[in-house]
Amino acid sequence: MNIMFVNTWMWLFLLILHALEAGVFAVDSKQFNILYLIADDLRPTLGCYSDPVVKSPHIDQLASVSTVFHNAYAQQAVCGPSRVSFLTSRRPDTTKLYDFNSYWRVHAGNYTTLPQYFKSNGYTTLSVGKVFHPGIASNHSDDYPYSWSVPPYHPPSFKYEKRKVCKDKDGTLHSNLLCAVDVSEMPLGTLPDIENTAEAIRLLESMKDSHNPFFLAVGFYKPHIPFRIPREYLKLYPIESMTLAPDPDVPKKLPDVAYNPWTDIRKREDVQALNLSFPYGPIPKDFQLQIRQHYFASVSYVDAQVGKVLQALDDFGLAKDTIVVFSSDHGWSLGEHGEWAKYSNFDVATRVPLIVYKPGVTSPFPRPGEKTFPFIDVFQGTREQFGKGRGVESVVELVDVFPTLSNLAGLRPLRRCPSSSFKIELCTEGSNLANLIRNQERELNREAFSYSQYPRPSDSIQENSDLPDLADIRIMGYSIRSNDYRYTLWVGFDPIRCQPNMTDIHAGEMYLLAEDPGEDNNVFDEFDHASVLIYY
C-alpha cells in the first residue's frame, strides 16, 4: 500500500479523533431526554458548593454524578431579563429586556428559544411552574406555542403567594417576608412548589413510554420571597445557630449607583413594622438572622422537591436516558455589603449553581435495577456524604446552557452570533461547554470571563433603583468577572436606542478576588483603566 496514502489516512484519523474529544461532532446516536430544573433566586448555598450550613442532600447527590460548574454567572440579576437571556442564549443588550415590560420577539428580534429548538427537532417540550417570567416578558403565555408543545402548567395555589396568608403570633394574617406555614392551613391545602413537583412527576410518567424524546423544564418558585414554606424546614436551622453575613456593612468605597436598596423586601408587612430608614437601614440583627434562617430553609424545601422529581426518573426507568440540568436564574444577597435581594453586579447576586448530568458521560450508566437518585429524608438528622462530581473552576455563563445542551443531545450546533444579530433567529452569544462535561478540566482557563450588567435610573439611590422601567434607565453597570477580579463600569445609557456611552463613565468598581473574595474593597481608583475599556 502506498505509504503516503496510509499517512494521509492516519492524519485524518487523528484529526477526527481530536475533534471528537473536543466535542466538535455530536457522537451520540441515542436521543436523550432533557430535564431542566430551575430554582428562583438561588445562590450556590448548597453542600456541593462547600456551604457548611445548608442541607441539600438531593442536589448534592445529583452533583456527585454530574459536572459541577463552580463559577457560573447570570447576565442580569433579576428574573425576567435573566430567564429570557439564558433561554435565548442572548445577552440583555440583544434581548433589550432590562425590566419585565417587553416581549423580545416584538421589541428586539424573533429569537429561537432553547425549548423551541428542541421542539423543532422532534422533542415534546413541556413547562411546569416558573420557567419564563410570566406576563408581558413572555407574551402572557410563557412563549406558547413557540416554545412548548402544550400550554405550560402553573399551580393554582400560586395566586395566594402575595396574599395575607402568613399567620402572626396573635393569629392575624399578613403578607410577610417571613412566612413559614402549616401547609394544611393554606388555601387549597398546598403550596406552589408541591404542586409543581406533582405535575412534573405526572408528566414524566406520561412520557415514559413515548416514542418521542421530551424536554421538560421545571421552574420552582423558591427560595424567591416571600418565604412561604412548610414550617418544619425551619427546624433544620435553629435560630441560635444562625450567623450574620461576614461583611454586613456597606463598603466605604462603594459608589451610590452600585447599591441595591432592597425595595421589594421593604414592602412586606413584617419589614415595614421595623420602620427602617432608606436606603441603608440597617435591618436589626435579630431580623437579619431570621431572614437567613428562612432562606436556608427555603433552599432545603426546594431540594426536597428536586429529590422527588429525580426519584421519579428512577421509578419510571428514565434516569439512564435523561440529561439533567440544575441551575438558577441568579443569586440573592443575604446581608453582604448591607444589601438584601438581587439587583446588583456582586457575586452574591450574579453567581448561580450549574450542574449537568449525562448518563454514561458524567458517570457510568446505571446498572439494571440500580437507583441513581434514591430519595433522602433530610429530617433524619444525618448529613449524607457524597462525592464532589467533576468540578469545573473556569468561569462560565448562563448563556452557555443553550449551545451546551444542544451539543450534548446531538442536535445541530448553534453558530456564534455576529456583533449585531437582531435579525438572526438562531445563534448563540454563549459558548459550548460540552467538552468540559465530557472531559475532566485539565487547567484553569484564565481567559474565560463572564459578563453581567445592571441598570440604574440615577447616580443617587432612589426608590426605583432596584428595578427601573426601561424609560427611566439612565446608567448601565457593565461587569466583567474573571477568576482573578471583578471589574465594573457604570456608564451613561440611552433607553430609546438601548445603547451605552462607554465614554460617559459615572463610577467604577474593581475587586481583586485573591485578597478580597467578598468584593468589599473597591480599588478602582488605584488602576489605569484605559486598557480594560478595550474589552467592552
Side-chain angles (χ1 to χ4, degrees):
M1 186 178 290
N2 186 290
I3 294 175
M4 183 177 293
F5 178 80
V6 173
N7 287 340
T8 300
W9 277 104
M10 283 295 294
W11 179 82
L12 286 171
F13 172 77
L14 291 172
L15 185 66
I16 292 170
L17 182 62
H18 175 75
L20 290 173
E21 288 178 347
V24 173
F25 302 131
V27 298
D28 303 304
S29 58
K30 178 180 183 179
Q31 281 194 302
F32 281 83
N33 305 307
I34 306 292
L35 175 61
Y36 193 176
L37 304 172
I38 307 167
D40 200 354
D41 290 16
L42 177 65
R43 58 195 260 171
T45 48
L46 301 164
C48 53
Y49 283 83
S50 301
D51 188 281
V53 176
V54 169
K55 298 175 176 64
S56 53
H58 300 101
I59 299 170
D60 297 349
Q61 180 174 246
L62 173 64
S64 72
V65 294
S66 301
T67 296
V68 181
F69 293 90
H70 290 282
N71 288 293
Y73 293 88
Q75 277 47 80
Q76 188 177 327
V78 69
C79 304
S82 176
R83 288 167 185 262
V84 169
S85 174
F86 68 72
L87 288 167
T88 61
S89 196
R90 312 289 184 105
R91 301 178 189 279
D93 280 349
T94 306
T95 66
K96 298 185 179 181
L97 181 67
Y98 313 100
D99 54 16
F100 299 153
N101 301 321
S102 67
Y103 180 41
W104 78 91
R105 295 188 190 275
V106 174
H107 189 59
N110 188 29
Y111 310 142
T112 300
T113 69
L114 170 61
Q116 181 183 2
Y117 188 52
F118 275 80
K119 183 183 176 187
S120 70
N121 279 275
Y123 278 68
T124 300
T125 55
L126 307 162
S127 174
V128 172
K130 186 177 179 181
V131 178
F132 284 98
H133 195 278
I136 298 173
S138 57
N139 200 33
H140 298 283
S141 65
D142 285 14
D143 199 45
Y144 174 79
Y146 297 104
S147 289
W148 310 110
S149 301
V150 297
Y153 170 84
H154 293 286
S157 65
F158 183 74
K159 66 182 178 182
Y160 300 102
E161 192 71 358
K162 296 182 181 180
R163 304 275 184 89
K164 293 179 182 290
V165 294
C166 312
K167 186 180 291 187
D168 216 339
K169 293 179 180 179
D170 61 2
T172 56
L173 297 178
H174 301 273
S175 55
N176 287 344
L177 173 67
L178 311 180
C179 190
V181 300
D182 182 337
V183 175
S184 66
E185 295 179 354
M186 287 295 96
L188 306 181
T190 188
L191 293 174
D193 281 338
I194 295 175
E195 290 185 289
N196 281 340
T197 300
E199 177 64 10
I201 293 171
R202 186 191 71 79
L203 289 173
L204 288 173
E205 184 174 22
S206 73
M207 294 301 296
K208 66 180 181 180
D209 297 319
S210 173
H211 295 297
N212 288 342
F214 65 79
F215 179 108
L216 171 59
V218 183
F220 298 105
Y221 290 100
K222 297 302 164 204
H224 194 290
I225 65 172
F227 301 124
R228 188 165 74 111
I229 59 170
R231 183 176 289 116
E232 57 265 27
Y233 285 92
L234 291 183
K235 297 176 183 176
L236 299 172
Y237 305 96
I239 194 66
E240 59 271 15
S241 68
M242 293 294 97
T243 58
L244 298 175
D247 51 351
D249 300 320
V250 180
K252 293 180 181 179
K253 297 181 181 178
L254 183 71
D256 284 350
V257 71
Y259 186 75
N260 142 42
W262 31 281
T263 306
D264 59 344
I265 284 181
R266 296 171 186 271
K267 297 175 182 178
R268 310 291 164 168
E269 290 185 32
D270 50 351
V271 178
Q272 288 179 346
L274 300 174
N275 196 27
L276 303 173
S277 62
F278 185 89
Y280 298 114
I283 294 175
K285 291 182 178 179
D286 61 334
F287 201 86
Q288 290 189 43
L289 294 174
Q290 290 184 71
I291 295 177
R292 289 170 66 86
Q293 176 198 36
H294 280 69
Y295 185 90
F296 298 150
S298 298
V299 175
S300 292
Y301 166 54
V302 169
D303 179 79
Q305 310 315 307
V306 169
K308 292 174 182 177
V309 175
L310 292 176
Q311 183 187 34
L313 283 182
D314 275 336
D315 292 345
F316 302 136
L318 294 167
K320 68 182 185 302
D321 303 316
T322 303
I323 296 169
V324 181
V325 181
F326 177 82
S327 191
S328 172
D329 50 0
H330 45 72
W332 211 80
S333 299
L334 283 166
E336 297 87 359
H337 316 111
E339 294 185 334
W340 302 87
K342 46 245 186 181
Y343 314 119
S344 82
N345 283 320
F346 281 122
D347 260 34
V348 287
T350 56
R351 185 169 170 239
V352 296
L354 179 58
I355 300 168
V356 182
Y357 163 77
K358 183 174 182 180
V361 175
T362 59
S363 65
F365 282 106
R367 293 187 296 268
E370 181 183 15
K371 296 293 186 182
T372 306
F373 305 114
F375 189 79
I376 302 160
D377 186 353
V378 72
F379 295 103
Q380 286 294 329
T382 58
R383 193 169 183 121
E384 298 287 338
Q385 298 296 320
F386 296 103
K388 293 294 184 181
R390 292 182 184 175
V392 173
E393 299 298 329
S394 298
V395 171
V396 301
E397 306 178 277
L398 285 184
V399 286
D400 300 339
V401 172
F402 189 162
T404 301
L405 268 184
S406 300
N407 184 284
L408 291 176
L411 305 186
R412 180 171 54 87
L414 275 64
R415 67 170 170 143
R416 185 81 178 174
C417 292
S419 57
S420 178
S421 63
F422 297 113
K423 295 183 179 180
I424 299 175
E425 294 187 8
L426 180 62
C427 65
T428 177
E429 293 181 348
S431 299
N432 175 14
L433 307 177
N435 188 44
L436 289 172
I437 294 169
R438 292 192 176 103
N439 303 289
Q440 191 77 33
E441 183 182 44
R442 295 175 182 173
E443 60 181 354
L444 185 67
N445 182 4
R446 294 199 173 275
E447 296 182 359
F449 302 91
S450 74
Y451 300 90
S452 303
Q453 61 190 94
Y454 209 85
R456 297 289 190 225
S458 132
D459 287 302
S460 60
I461 304 169
Q462 303 180 174
E463 290 282 346
N464 66 335
S465 287
D466 284 353
L467 191 60
D469 291 339
L470 175 60
D472 297 326
I473 297 172
R474 295 295 178 271
I475 301 167
M476 187 69 72
Y478 290 95
S479 192
I480 299 175
R481 173 60 155 86
S482 76
N483 282 101
D484 302 311
Y485 63 85
R486 177 176 290 283
Y487 183 87
T488 305
L489 281 181
W490 296 91
V491 300
F493 188 82
D494 180 351
I496 297 175
R497 296 187 301 144
C498 293
Q499 287 187 356
N501 180 355
M502 300 307 295
T503 63
D504 180 21
I505 300 174
H506 290 239
E509 299 168 80
M510 179 79 168
Y511 304 101
L512 304 180
L513 301 173
E515 58 195 58
D516 182 24
E519 302 175 339
D520 297 300
N521 182 29
N522 181 12
V523 295
F524 179 83
D525 292 335
E526 300 175 21
F527 285 84
D528 175 15
H529 305 281
S531 60
V532 183
L533 280 171
I534 296 173
Y535 282 104
Y536 287 100

